Amino acid sequence: MKLKRFEALTLQEALQAVKAELGPDAVIVSSRRVQKGGGLFGLMSQSMVEVTAAVDQTQQAEAPRKQSLAALAALRKASAPLEKPKPAFQPVEPDPDANFREQLKVATALDPMKEQMQEMREEIRRLREEQRDPERVLGPLRHELEGLRIVVGEALEHRLRKRVDGLPGGLMEDYQGLVAHGVNAQIAHDLLRSIVETLGTVNIGNRDMVKDLIVDRMEQALSAPGTGLGKTHEQKIMMLVGPTGVGKTTTVAKLAGMARQQQPDCKTVLITLDTYRVAAVEQLRVYAKILKIPLEVAVSPQDLLDCVHRHEHADYILIDTAGRSPRDQAGYDELLTLNRGRLKLENHLVLAAPVAESGLMEVVRRYQSLPIHRIIWTKLDEVSTYGALFNVLSQAGIPVSFLSAGQRVPEDLEVATRRRLVELIRGEGLGIPPSPSLAGVGGGRQ
Ligand SMILES: Nc1nc2c(ncn2[C@@H]2O[C@H](COP(=O)(O)OP(=O)(O)OP(=O)(O)O)[C@@H](O)[C@H]2O)c(=O)[nH]1
Ligand SMILES: [Mg+2]
């Protein structure tokens, strides 16, 4: 067996060289692409094909004999009489080049596939390396994200600067503080702009003056406060209305408790109109029992009138109503009917602080024509910013009567003042002191 290596620019050329030197019986052992030459740093290197071929030397030694036999046969064929009849079946002469041609065909087909395989191997190697070192992939992504963050930050900053156009730099912090607490950007801007106009350029640098004026202006933007339970010589009939689950019944019980604590000589009566919800009456009955005050259940406007007449000497009549969605027209019409009757009702719309500002405004718009005399804010303990309250109140122009910040009955209720509201809106906290609740009623805080 003889082994020999051939190099050529193309595979075909290399195979021709193999055939010329080793004959058609040569077998291709391997073929591959190699870079050749190129001098310094391989700059001028060239891609070549390297073919290793083998041939059985005994066969090769027979080649000249085969050639002379073939030549003899050809001579015989030429000298044979022309008329010799052809046999019906002619044996096929073995083609000495067939094997070689077949090899050439296979090698030609394999050559591009080999290159593709090489590329795939390279890709797999690269992927494996990336897996081993994810930072190589994540690094550029991280840089891109950082770039985006900077661009978005700059765009926001630009918007903010445009919006606070006209505000001196010294008020920027106040502006951002109000907006961070949920005060509408436009409302905050208008408020601070009015302060700039009042203080002028001389006093705008005086932080104390600025702070006091912010508080003053915010208080002015809120309607005159409610009077709490404020004892009057007239009977006070307070009716709590509002969407479902906002804390109407709990607040009615808290109000009854507050009345009892603050004015022990006053007589309070509870009336519930909520006969829709299972256990609604029971819920209030428990509180009435603990507070030792009467509870009436009214099922119609006439019934309500009769109840009130029965308790004409009571100082406070607190009415609980069924929760109504702002889209419940029939329920709203019932409340309208009550208000058009002979009773002088003071309607307190109960709003829960966790509701989105748009939802709060929808409720206010819905109930406005009752009319709403006061707003009670509940669940203040469930949110951390109160800017939305300011937005709603300054648009609606309705005073706030009470603030509720917890489930404890009657403790978690306080009379609203404008100062207190502004404190809350400016982020100065709830600060309601903890105290024991009515024995186990109202689902007090754990
Ligand atoms: N965290 C917190 N929960 C409150 C507050 N006020 C009421 N709740 C709770 O809110 C839930 C609903 O209170 P309810 O008084 O039944 O509400 P409602 O408006 O009468 O409900 P409906 O009669 O079904 O419309 C209860 O679990 C109360 O304890 C509050 O200020 N803070
Ligand atoms: Mg209720």
Side-chain angles (χ1 to χ4, degrees), residues 259-315:
R260 210 189 155 91
Q261 273 176 359
Q262 293 180 356
Q263 298 158 42
D265 301 336
C266 286
K267 189 168 181 252
T268 304
V269 174
L270 297 180
I271 301 178
T272 180
L273 295 175
D274 188 359
T275 49
Y276 299 87
R277 195 165 58 79
V278 180
V281 175
E282 263 332 286
Q283 187 186 355
L284 204 52
R285 200 184 299 285
V286 176
Y287 289 121
K289 205 169 155 197
I290 294 171
L291 292 164
K292 297 191 178 63
I293 52 178
L295 169 71
E296 300 275 1
V297 182
V299 292
S300 66
Q302 184 55 50
D303 224 7
L304 180 66
L305 202 58
D306 294 345
C307 284
V308 173
H309 284 160
R310 263 202 306 282
H311 296 280
E312 59 184 346
H313 299 299
D315 299 283

Side-chain angles (χ1 to χ4, degrees), residues 19-50:
K19 186 186 169 194
E21 192 163 337
L22 300 182
D25 292 327
V27 176
I28 308 300
V29 178
S30 72
S31 76
R32 63 184 184 118
R33 283 203 171 268
V34 287
Q35 289 299 122
K36 283 282 163 178
L40 193 61
F41 307 125
L43 284 176
M44 307 288 285
S45 68
Q46 196 170 18
S47 168
M48 306 278 284
V49 178
E50 182 192 275

Side-chain angles (χ1 to χ4, degrees), residues 110-126:
L110 282 179
D111 197 40
M113 282 170 71
K114 273 190 179 162
E115 263 184 54
Q116 282 171 8
M117 291 277 286
Q118 184 57 29
E119 279 168 18
M120 280 169 73
R121 257 190 227 116
E122 264 301 303
E123 186 65 16
I124 290 169
R125 191 191 54 74
R126 200 178 55 74

Side-chain angles (χ1 to χ4, degrees), residues 28-320:
I28 308 300
V29 178
S30 72
S31 76
R32 63 184 184 118
R33 283 203 171 268
V34 287
Q35 289 299 122
K36 283 282 163 178
L40 193 61
F41 307 125
L43 284 176
M44 307 288 285
S45 68
Q46 196 170 18
S47 168
M48 306 278 284
V49 178
E50 182 192 275
V51 172
T52 306
V55 71
D56 189 345
Q57 274 169 324
T58 54
Q59 275 186 25
Q60 212 182 21
E62 271 182 23
R65 198 174 67 87
K66 273 186 188 166
Q67 274 170 9
S68 47
L69 281 176
L72 191 64
L75 206 63
R76 268 198 209 120
K77 199 174 168 189
S79 57
L82 284 172
E83 65 280 6
K84 192 178 175 189
K86 281 188 181 169
F89 167 75
Q90 278 198 323
V92 180
E93 288 284 319
D95 179 356
D97 280 357
N99 175 30
F100 185 77
R101 270 204 305 278
E102 190 56 30
Q103 285 198 53
L104 184 61
K105 219 161 97 191
V106 172
T108 311
L110 282 179
D111 197 40
M113 282 170 71
K114 273 190 179 162
E115 263 184 54
Q116 282 171 8
M117 291 277 286
Q118 184 57 29
E119 279 168 18
M120 280 169 73
R121 257 190 227 116
E122 264 301 303
E123 186 65 16
I124 290 169
R125 191 191 54 74
R126 200 178 55 74
L127 286 173
R128 278 203 186 123
E129 254 174 40
E130 279 178 5
Q131 251 182 4
R132 242 178 273 139
D133 182 12
E135 200 46 38
R136 273 183 59 186
V137 187
L138 291 180
L141 268 179
R142 211 167 270 142
H143 284 135
E144 208 171 319
L145 273 178
E146 180 60 14
L148 271 176
R149 196 185 63 75
I150 291 169
V151 171
V152 171
E154 275 171 6
L156 286 178
E157 180 91 343
H158 179 68
R159 265 189 67 187
L160 180 69
R161 285 197 187 285
K162 263 181 91 178
R163 196 182 283 271
V164 292
D165 219 16
L167 286 185
L171 292 190
M172 195 66 91
E173 206 181 302
D174 302 291
Y175 172 84
Q176 284 171 341
L178 288 171
V179 173
H181 283 101
V183 175
N184 175 290
Q186 192 59 53
I187 294 178
H189 181 268
D190 293 350
L191 190 126
L192 293 173
R193 192 69 227 139
S194 79
I195 287 172
V196 176
E197 275 156 27
T198 307
L199 290 182
T201 45
V202 181
N203 290 321
I204 203 70
N206 184 328
R207 287 304 301 159
D208 289 340
M209 280 176 97
V210 169
K211 190 177 166 247
D212 289 350
L213 209 52
I214 290 176
V215 172
D216 267 17
R217 289 285 149 87
M218 289 180 79
E219 285 185 17
Q220 279 167 29
L222 302 173
S223 290
T227 50
L229 287 169
K231 188 162 165 39
T232 57
H233 42 273
E234 264 185 23
Q235 183 182 58
K236 193 165 182 158
I237 309 175
M238 293 164 67
M239 180 160 82
L240 272 63
V241 297
T244 54
V246 289
K248 295 178 296 299
T249 306
T250 312
T251 309
V252 161
K254 285 177 182 175
L255 286 169
M258 186 184 259
R260 210 189 155 91
Q261 273 176 359
Q262 293 180 356
Q263 298 158 42
D265 301 336
C266 286
K267 189 168 181 252
T268 304
V269 174
L270 297 180
I271 301 178
T272 180
L273 295 175
D274 188 359
T275 49
Y276 299 87
R277 195 165 58 79
V278 180
V281 175
E282 263 332 286
Q283 187 186 355
L284 204 52
R285 200 184 299 285
V286 176
Y287 289 121
K289 205 169 155 197
I290 294 171
L291 292 164
K292 297 191 178 63
I293 52 178
L295 169 71
E296 300 275 1
V297 182
V299 292
S300 66
Q302 184 55 50
D303 224 7
L304 180 66
L305 202 58
D306 294 345
C307 284
V308 173
H309 284 160
R310 263 202 306 282
H311 296 280
E312 59 184 346
H313 299 299
D315 299 283
Y316 298 111
I317 294 193
L318 305 174
I319 305 172
D320 185 21

Side-chain angles (χ1 to χ4, degrees), residues 413-439:
L413 187 73
E414 62 176 310
V415 176
T417 63
R418 289 202 278 198
R419 179 131 302 206
R420 181 79 177 109
L421 277 166
V422 171
E423 267 173 24
L424 284 176
I425 294 158
R426 299 187 73 235
E428 285 162 24
L430 278 171
I432 292 176
S435 56
S437 58
L438 284 184

Side-chain angles (χ1 to χ4, degrees), residues 3-25:
L3 260 180
K4 183 146 189 203
R5 194 170 294 145
F6 297 83
E7 278 175 5
L9 282 176
T10 66
L11 183 69
Q12 281 80 355
E13 279 175 28
L15 292 175
Q16 293 302 343
V18 171
K19 186 186 169 194
E21 192 163 337
L22 300 182
D25 292 327

